[in-house]
Each structure stands twice: as structure tokens, then as C-alpha cells.
Amino acid sequence: MDTWCAAWDHGQLDALDAVLAEDYVRYSAANEQPLSRQQYKDQIREVRAAFPDLTTTVDALLLDGDQAAMFWHSVGTFSAPLHDVPPTGTVVTTRGSNVLTFRDGKIVREEVTWDASELLADVGLPSLKSAFEPEDVAAVVDSPANPGTPPREMLKAFNKQFITGVTVVATKDETGAPRGLALNSYVSVSLDPPLVLVCVQKTSSTYPALFRASHVGISIMSSTQGDALSVFSSKDKDKFSQVAWHEGPQGSPLIDDSAASLEIEIKERFQALTHTVFIGRVQYAESTEDAPILYKAGKFYDGRGLQQL
Ligand SMILES: Cc1cc2nc3c(=O)[nH]c(=O)nc-3n(C[C@H](O)[C@H](O)[C@H](O)COP(=O)(O)O)c2cc1C
């Protein structure tokens, strides 16, 4: 078992050749197809790159004829991206058990009750695999009213009819610098418990900071904050030097003079291909009677003087 720890903890992958048969196969919930010896080495390399300080302890080893059961736990810091998931800097402990089958003194088969997604569940990520496959997204039933219209265009036409406010969603990065972006995908999920969601594109430069954040600020832009909105819709490197802001109780950046602000604690991070849906529990709120900026079909409107139906 020293070889096994050497491979996982020190990256000595070729040492595995001494204990794994050439036709070794590894079965686990994480992989639809069993892994070969080489594919298993590649997987170790990937996990070790994300958790460079990984240490593994074999807690128990039970032998029974040509089979063995091994119970283990590993501890590591999530320090570099794993697939498309940014690192959180969190120390994670994960446990598993493997059933090994031997032939001529070498392991030919391994069945594993652990996969990398369980490791990431500890840092708040339910699954490494996205909840959606690209083909699911394309599978939209053709509309009799607009036959042949591509799904993307149908959705754009739908969205054009939806009026929203605009928020600035912000947090601090690992250096303590404030980072934020303009966002209209805010939804109030439930009042009791007080949950809200926001949806962030993974290519946003703010995304890695948001992904590792425990707390996030959400400020609704007021009708007089067009300039601040332009800043946060941009890719400017230093957005917060151009606006006045203050901190929520947990340090999340909130924009001064906004129509209302929340500070939330992140509870869930759902993967939706190009975007991540963050669900947070409200911990702090500020509100005013100031009218918000409105957004419809790519244009902004003054929320003052709205006519009630
Ligand atoms: C009205 C409006 C709504 C937006 N909504 C979102 C959104 O819901 N999610 C998102 O990821 N980006 C959204 N954006 C785009 C980002 O604000 C924009 O890409 C920004 O430049 C990202 O900055 P960053 O890369 O520095 O984080 C929105 C932009 C505007 C103008």
C-alpha cells in the first residue's frame, strides 16, 4: 500500500506498474467506462494538480483470499482548477473504500466507492459533471408560430419581453480586492428561508472570486446610477476606484446610493454549462425608496414616474 500512497501523495505514478497488472481495470461511479492503468494514472495526475498537498492514509486493510478491501481517507487543499472548476482554497477531507482483486500477486480489478465529485461536494459543488449536456439545450420543440426559427432566436425574442432591474454583484478576491459585475439574472427564490439566486457566466473575470467566496453583495442600481452601471458592465480592471462603496457586515462590497443592497452567504453552486447558478441565504439588507434603473431588450429606462395600471 506504500506504492498506492506514493502515487497519490507524491506523484510517483510509474511505481504503480509494480502492483497493477497490465490489464488492470478500475470501476467507479465517476467514470461511465472503466479506466485502464494508464487512464487511472492520468486521473491521479489531474487530482494531484488540483490538490498538490494531498496526503492519504490507509485506515484499514482486510484480506480474503485473492481479494482485499482497503479503507482510506485523504486530505488536501483545493489550490488549482479541476476540469473547469476554479479552486476555492478550502482544505477538504474525503473518504473511500476500494475492493481489490489479485491475480499472480498483482491487482487486476479495483472497484471504488469514491469519485472526485464527492471531494468537491465538500467545497459546495454538488457535481463535477454539468447538470446539462449540450444536446439537451438544443432540443427545443419547433414553434408553429415561428417554424424553423433557431431555439436561440426564440429565446432571445422571449427575453426581449421581460423587464428586469440591474444589480451589481460583488465580492473580494483572494488578495482582498473588491471584484464585481453588472447582472440582471437576480431572482428572489423564497422569503422563508430568505434565499436568492444569481447566474454568472464562467468567462467573467469576476467569476473565480465569486466561486470561492463565502459571502457576496448584491446592489440594485438606482435610476441615477447609470455611470456606475457602465463601469460594472465593462471589463475595467479597477471598477471599484470609480464608485463609492461600503462593506456589508461580512465584508462584501455594496455600492453606495443604490436602490437596495443585500449581503448573502453562498449555499449552492449549480453548474449549467457556460454559467454557474449561485444560491445564497440573505444575511443583511439595506433598502431605500429610490427608483431603480429598468432594463428591457438591451436598453435602460428611468424607473421614476412609472404609471401604475
Ligand atoms: C443589463 C446587463 C445584465 C447582465 N447580466 C449578466 C448576468 O446575469 N450574468 C453575467 O454573467 N453577466 C451579465 N452581464 C454581463 C456582465 O456585466 C459583463 O460581461 C461584464 O463585463 C463582466 O465583467 P467581468 O468580466 O469583469 O466580471 C450583464 C450586463 C448587463 C449590461
Side-chain angles (χ1 to χ4, degrees):
M1 291 310 110
D2 288 347
T3 312
W4 197 76
C5 290
W8 276 98
D9 297 353
H10 304 294
Q12 294 163 11
L13 302 179
D14 288 337
L16 287 171
D17 295 350
V19 291
L20 304 183
E22 247 173 72
D23 56 347
Y24 163 88
V25 275
R26 178 181 172 91
Y27 296 85
S28 82
N31 307 300
E32 279 163 22
Q33 299 294 324
L35 299 186
S36 67
R37 189 167 77 177
Q38 186 54 45
Q39 288 167 326
Y40 176 39
K41 288 181 189 177
D42 293 342
Q43 191 182 54
I44 295 176
R45 201 173 286 116
E46 265 179 28
V47 174
R48 276 188 44 76
F51 298 83
D53 61 348
L54 200 70
T55 54
T56 306
T57 307
V58 176
D59 301 311
L61 183 63
L62 307 176
L63 298 169
D64 181 19
D66 63 356
Q67 288 206 310
M70 181 170 63
F71 299 84
W72 54 270
H73 74 272
S74 291
V75 183
T77 313
F78 188 15
S79 317
L82 183 57
H83 301 202
D84 62 350
V85 181
T88 56
T90 317
V91 177
V92 178
T93 301
T94 185
R95 288 164 203 288
S97 56
N98 301 5
V99 176
L100 314 172
T101 306
F102 291 87
R103 190 189 62 217
D104 303 330
K106 283 197 171 185
I107 301 166
V108 282
R109 182 187 168 96
E110 191 171 5
E111 285 164 72
V112 187
T113 59
W114 171 86
D115 65 68
S117 59
E118 284 185 37
L119 189 78
L120 290 173
D122 273 17
V123 295
L125 189 80
S127 171
L128 249 190
K129 286 185 186 170
S130 164
F132 309 99
E133 298 299 333
E135 53 270 27
D136 294 341
V137 179
V140 174
V141 176
D142 211 10
S143 151
N146 314 79
T149 310
R152 181 188 157 86
E153 296 309 314
M154 281 164 54
L155 180 55
K156 272 173 74 178
F158 180 91
N159 287 346
K160 275 187 175 175
Q161 296 290 28
F162 197 57
I163 296 182
T164 68
V166 192
T167 65
V168 169
V169 168
T171 192
K172 289 193 181 150
D173 67 17
E174 68 277 21
T175 69
R179 304 294 308 261
L181 79 166
L183 182 150
N184 73 336
S185 59
Y186 164 85
V187 173
S188 171
V189 175
S190 62
L191 292 178
D192 190 11
L195 298 178
V196 304
L197 73 75
V198 291
C199 191
V200 182
Q201 194 160 14
K202 292 179 181 173
T203 52
S204 151
S205 75
T206 313
Y207 176 73
L210 286 174
F211 191 85
R212 65 184 299 156
S214 61
H215 292 80
V216 167
I218 304 175
S219 300
I220 298 176
M221 294 293 92
S222 77
S223 275
T224 56
Q225 289 183 302
D227 290 347
L229 181 51
S230 304
V231 170
F232 286 97
S233 316
S234 76
K235 292 273 175 195
D236 201 297
K237 289 275 174 285
D238 193 9
K239 301 179 188 180
F240 281 84
S241 67
Q242 300 168 58
V243 296
W245 58 283
H246 59 285
E247 294 185 356
Q250 298 297 324
S252 305
L254 307 176
I255 310 302
D256 285 7
D257 301 323
S258 42
S261 293
L262 293 178
E263 185 173 54
I264 60 169
E265 182 184 5
I266 297 294
K267 292 292 186 188
E268 298 280 2
R269 301 168 179 87
F270 292 115
Q271 301 304 304
L273 289 179
T274 54
H275 286 66
T276 293
V277 181
F278 295 88
I279 295 198
R281 189 183 177 105
V282 177
Q283 293 207 328
Y284 171 76
E286 296 172 0
S287 63
T288 72
E289 294 296 319
D290 296 348
I293 285 184
L294 306 180
Y295 177 74
K296 179 181 182 291
K299 294 196 175 74
F300 299 102
Y301 297 87
D302 194 331
R304 290 171 288 197
L306 288 179
Q307 288 183 10
Q308 193 176 350
L309 280 181

